[in-house]
Amino acid sequence: MASLCRVKLGSWMGQACRLHTSSSVSAKLHYKMLVLGGGSGGIAMSARMKRMLGAENVAVVEPSEMHYYQPIWTLVGAGAKSVKSSGRPTESVMPSGVKLVKSKVQEINPEKNTVRTDDGTEISYEYLIVALGLQLHFEKIKGLPEGFEHPKIGSNYSVQTVEKTWKALQDFKEGNALFTFPNTPIKCAGAPQKIMYLSDAYLRKTGKRSKANIKYFTPQPVIFGIKKYADSLWDIVKNRDLQVNLRHDLIEVRADKQEAVFANLDKPGETKVVEYEMLHVTPPMGPVSVVKNSPLADEVGWLDLDKETLQHKKYPNVFGIGDCTSLPTSKTAAAVAAQSGVLHRTIKRVLKKEKPDKKYDGYTSCPLVTSYNTVILAEFDYDGQPLETFPIDQGKERRLMYYMKADVMPHLYWHGLLRGLWGGPGPYRKLMHLGMK
């Protein structure tokens, strides 16, 4: 990969001469830097671009009225935080002076450097940052999303369903509590089991645990992708009598009967029907259609980026960040933070007609909430190697890490990342490890 990257970087100056930066004569709006998406990556980069280029040269296309800090929904689903605390009006988190185009992106044409929105507006750009996130696909599970109209079922992955998780947990009497992981890439791969640990803790606290069979179903062959943290999670699972079913994929929900149907991936054609008293569903996910159907997509549909510079592999004036990208790392807000610092540097160099020189190492983080006061803080890179910030063993459950997750990280998100001031813990990691990492 390193040699490939050198080839790409070495040929960059040749590519620069054909940067697609001409504006369309028919475009009604034109911006030097156009950002698609007003999620964590889009807002963070628009703040950084404002400082680099001036607010009048930057615009963000985002239709949503509200911006949500989604990592906190794990705690909302367990009753530890309110859904109201997770959201703020989109306009309130926009950098002042940056234009907010309240529309949905309908089409991206990188050959003409234009974007068309759902109301027919055409916007041209010199440079483009794609930060459109990913798409939830509840509909790929038979019986959903209509099944959410019934009680006993919820999902922490949507603002419309997260409070249903808490209601199902509160209403639990006795029986099976099921928690699922889909057979697709997802954002925050630890979240499907975090709610299981929190539910276990809640049922113990309320005296209902002896009446509950807690079961986790995942199509993966492992409980977690990084062995160090997986070993710790297996210990927790065994100590708390939680049943883990590997290689099982949720394919149907019969909400009227309170039944979930799973496919056994090791035995094609074999299914298992499990009754539930509570069901938490993590939906299948995939690339958003506007990216998937554009020349910017790879063969699967993700934004096709150089994994080190975050520059598009074919269109040098196009960049990306976050869940919409092809970057082979876990899709988290922590990854967005680290990517934002690298992308800032890449764009700064590109604007000067220089080669990108800062490389994203795939850093991502997953605070694995294991109770109402403990977290295992998983941090790792592209190679699946731990890349821990603190000079302690983060593979152990710690109270300090829970307060980081519940209180420090939201503050860092709203006042650091979204303002373009937080590029991840890299510098602090070096300081805490005396320059050894």
Side-chain angles (χ1 to χ4, degrees), residues 4-18:
L4 282 174
C5 186
R6 283 195 293 271
V7 170
K8 287 172 187 169
L9 293 179
S11 64
W12 185 88
M13 292 306 289
Q15 289 181 334
C17 66
R18 58 180 179 87

Side-chain angles (χ1 to χ4, degrees), residues 298-313:
D298 64 10
E299 63 278 4
V300 182
W302 303 106
L303 186 71
D304 198 13
L305 299 185
D306 180 291
K307 75 172 192 174
E308 294 180 329
T309 66
L310 312 187
Q311 186 176 26
H312 196 271
K313 290 181 178 180

